[in-house]
Amino acid sequence: MGLYLNPGNAGFRTITNGIYIDKTGLIDYMNSTLDTYRKLTCFSRPRRFGKSFAAKMLCAYYDKSCNSRELFNGLEIAGLPSFEKGLNRYDVIYLDMTAFISRSLYKGKDVIRDMQIAVIEELNKSFKNCIAEGESYLPDALFSVCRETGHKFIIIIDEWDALFREAKDDESSQKEYVQLLRGLFKGGTVTDNTIAAAYMTGILPIKKYGTESALTDFQEYTMTSPDELTPYVGFTESEVRRLCAENIMNFDDMKCWYDGYSFRSMASVYSPNSVMSAIQRRRIRSYWTSSETYESLKGYITQNFDGLKDAVVLMLGGMHVAVDIASFQNDLTSLESRDDVLTLLIHLGYLAYDEVESEVYIPNLEVSEAFKTAVKRTGWTAVSEAHLKEVRDRTAREDYVREEGLQEGIRQGIDQGIRQGIDQGAEQKLLSQIERKLAAGQTEEQIAEDLLEPLDHIRELRKKIK
């Protein structure tokens, strides 16, 4: 057992020791790809959506250095025909790119070269006399081991895109990294003879150069097209209902705050970390609370692209906005249009995407709170009636949205408390929450604290409750 070669099952055991939503069906999908042309999978999702949990689960299942049978007993995969197919049968290479970047920065070393040397050192300890002395190129080292042993590897890369996010201006390292990944996964002798399957997870889809993916052999699943992996994007509605029932939490409030991600095959997908935080803390509120979240969002929505500000204003009013996702290059530095920014925000989880209508929207109250805080920090002045009329006219001309007109909340503009972001629909949800809490005996002060709303706003809305 090592850090990178066969890391064991301790990570997944820790996860299952708490409240665990069974996502082991993903293993069945991965088993179906073993040693096929579909064996390379990249599944990208936003922060807080369980990416690392899935990576540790796959390590625990495939890693031949441990016995994970009892760990999976009682879970979905144990009842499926493919359970025995890969259970603890492979040598696993596990790469956490965020950890490698931190390690290299601390040591002042080249991250890609340092990573390959660290993995090869562990390979040499387990597979003596298989790798040529001084070998520093990981694809060749893996090929040498497989040639001697006849056994293929499972490669799992967590936060595969961290270099594109955390060193976004270091094009040299990015190109070196892409070349390494191509060496591992571009087909041909190395891929065919050394890799039984690969699973990469991160926030961004695979980097594009022009219109072509840098790694064309991967099966990609993203927030714009998760397809058969949709049940593993986040929590499903049935999973959240069950959690709420088991932990005596209000399902309607949970849905209002954390639902809103919708896909062709599944109408409701929830933010996993937010749901679990609400369950554990016994409080439904926004858990996107870091200043980094707001500053990052502010930086994107204030980009100087025609129509971007108007689109944000419309979405704060509950509207859906048309978007073309095709031109996005899957990085943080090649943003060239309003559509590129909106597409990036889909992958970051700030926006949801309607694939059928090719539209984006703010998914729920939690994300709406993040937008409102970010907009407060932009210095945008109140939106005037004249500006709103201009937006309305432009909307009709350019088909920004399918609905006609603007909601009353938008007409009020971006005001001091950024109340313009709460449209009639969102206000109605808030009124329903207030009504339920009043019926439960809560005071106005308690309601204001629970809902993170000013007390005077709660009192104002209470007057509308008949």
Side-chain angles (χ1 to χ4, degrees), residues 208 224 323-330 339-340 343 346 353 360:
K208 288 196 294 187
T224 59
V323 65
D324 180 357
I325 65 173
S327 65
F328 181 55
Q329 297 296 294
N330 299 344
D339 286 342
D340 285 350
T343 306
I346 296 169
Y353 179 61
V360 289

Side-chain angles (χ1 to χ4, degrees), residues 180-301:
L180 171 62
L181 294 178
R182 283 175 170 165
L184 289 168
F185 305 127
K186 198 59 177 174
T189 304
V190 173
T191 306
D192 293 342
N193 290 282
T194 65
I195 297 173
Y199 179 87
M200 299 200 311
T201 187
I203 295 173
L204 296 174
I206 292 173
K207 167 70 179 166
K208 288 196 294 187
Y209 292 99
T211 60
E212 185 174 336
S213 168
L215 301 170
T216 55
D217 291 339
F218 270 84
Q219 307 295 313
E220 276 208 82
Y221 301 89
T222 73
M223 290 298 284
T224 59
S225 187
D227 300 329
E228 65 263 46
L229 297 191
T230 298
Y232 311 110
V233 170
F235 287 172
T236 66
E237 185 142 299
S238 60
E239 290 166 346
V240 175
R241 281 188 181 277
R242 186 171 69 251
L243 274 173
C244 288
E246 292 172 351
N247 293 277
I248 317 177
M249 297 287 287
N250 186 289
F251 171 75
D252 291 336
D253 288 348
M254 197 77 78
K255 184 175 182 66
C256 185
W257 275 88
Y258 310 127
D259 186 19
Y261 301 94
S262 182
F263 305 97
R264 283 180 181 268
S265 61
M266 189 166 291
S268 291
V269 172
Y270 292 68
S271 171
N273 181 73
S274 298
V275 170
M276 293 304 294
S277 295
I279 294 289
Q280 291 160 354
R281 293 173 179 263
R282 312 293 305 164
R283 185 177 179 188
I284 294 177
R285 62 173 178 83
S286 175
Y287 290 96
W288 287 29
T289 54
S290 72
S291 59
E292 178 187 1
T293 296
Y294 307 134
E295 290 302 317
S296 174
L297 182 55
K298 170 189 168 184
Y300 296 128
I301 65 177

